[in-house]
Amino acid sequence: MNWEEKYQKGEVFWNRGAPSPPMKQYLERHPVRGRALVPGCGHGHEVALAVKYGLDATGLDIAPTGIAAARALYPQLAERLVVADLFNPPAEMRGAFEVVLEHTCMSGLHPSLRADYRRGIDLTLRPGGLLIGVWFINPNLDPGDEGPPFPFRVSDLTALFSHGYEIIEDYVPDVAFESRVGRERLRVLRRIG
Ligand SMILES: C[S@@+](CC[C@H](N)C(=O)[O-])C[C@H]1O[C@@H](n2cnc3c(N)ncnc32)[C@H](O)[C@@H]1O
């Protein structure tokens, strides 16, 4: 998947133009604080949300045009929006975060890249830190759809983080973007190793 090309062509079909409703609900209900990373932040809506709820947030995305669009939308957050590769994060991001906020980054990745995704989280999230995810759960693609998104099963998510993380919260959210009703899971994992 050439993400940069997608942004250049304006084919950002994943972008809902607003922060994830389940993520917003979670941050409203939980006083999460500290340095937070939003991997694959795209247009930066979850970075803006995190800052609003008191987190010292940084958004990272591999697509320069995506980050440029995020900076144009949220100029006050420009320094928090960074072009970088989650699979090879810059030195200053390694072990730097108490929180990672996941929203449609992993489901954008081909299943063969999920181990790289996990390694990227391990490289950036401190032991004891929280991986707060709105995970796109659905074992089947829509008819005719080849992905992305590449939805996964709850068991795939459990297996990916079965070692080194413990589940501390897990539910199907009662709020969602219209096209994602019933297809998401809010799962919070704590890094223990
Ligand atoms: C499906 S989009 C989701 C964007 C945003 N989270 C949203 O909900 O609108 C996936 C994003 O992950 C980014 N991405 C893919 N691989 C990446 C990598 N290795 N490192 C950082 N970002 C990556 C893409 O450029 C894209 O912006």
Side-chain angles (χ1 to χ4, degrees):
M1 177 78 173
N2 186 336
W3 293 101
E4 173 59 11
E5 191 180 286
K6 287 287 179 196
Y7 280 104
Q8 284 182 9
K9 290 182 173 171
E11 294 173 0
V12 289
F13 52 85
W14 52 84
N15 178 34
R16 293 291 177 274
S20 156
M23 187 68 79
K24 180 170 184 285
Q25 186 186 62
Y26 187 86
L27 294 180
E28 268 167 10
R29 293 177 175 177
H30 298 79
V32 186
R33 293 291 177 271
R35 282 199 74 190
L37 180 68
V38 182
C41 69
H43 283 191
H45 308 304
E46 282 69 36
V47 179
L49 178 77
V51 169
K52 183 177 168 192
Y53 282 94
L55 285 153
D56 177 9
T58 299
L60 165 163
D61 203 288
I62 202 164
T65 301
I67 289 293
R71 287 178 175 161
L73 272 173
Y74 301 108
Q76 73 282 15
L77 305 179
E79 288 182 5
R80 297 179 177 275
L81 298 160
V82 178
V83 179
D85 184 355
L86 176 66
F87 302 160
N88 185 21
E92 65 273 16
M93 289 193 188
R94 294 185 179 229
F97 297 95
E98 283 90 31
V99 177
V100 171
L101 298 176
E102 156 63 35
H103 178 246
T104 66
C105 181
M106 187 166 124
S107 59
L109 300 172
H110 188 271
S112 64
L113 296 174
R114 286 181 191 156
D116 295 303
Y117 173 88
R118 154 91 201 236
R119 202 158 40 250
I121 303 300
D122 289 349
L123 285 170
T124 50
L125 184 64
R126 291 184 182 160
L130 298 181
L131 170 56
I132 302 171
V134 178
W135 307 93
F136 189 49
I137 301 290
N138 188 339
N140 302 310
L141 295 174
D142 289 332
D145 195 352
E146 294 175 357
F150 299 100
F152 38 88
R153 298 175 183 84
V154 173
S155 57
D156 295 331
L157 178 60
T158 301
L160 189 62
F161 289 98
S162 61
H163 300 291
Y165 289 78
E166 62 180 349
I167 299 169
I168 62 167
E169 203 143 359
D170 192 34
Y171 58 87
V172 176
D174 59 9
V175 290
F177 290 126
E178 199 179 336
S179 61
R180 298 183 187 161
V181 172
R183 305 173 88 185
E184 294 176 316
R185 194 161 185 113
L186 194 310
R187 176 173 286 191
V188 182
L189 297 142
R190 181 187 287 123
R191 184 170 180 198
I192 53 178

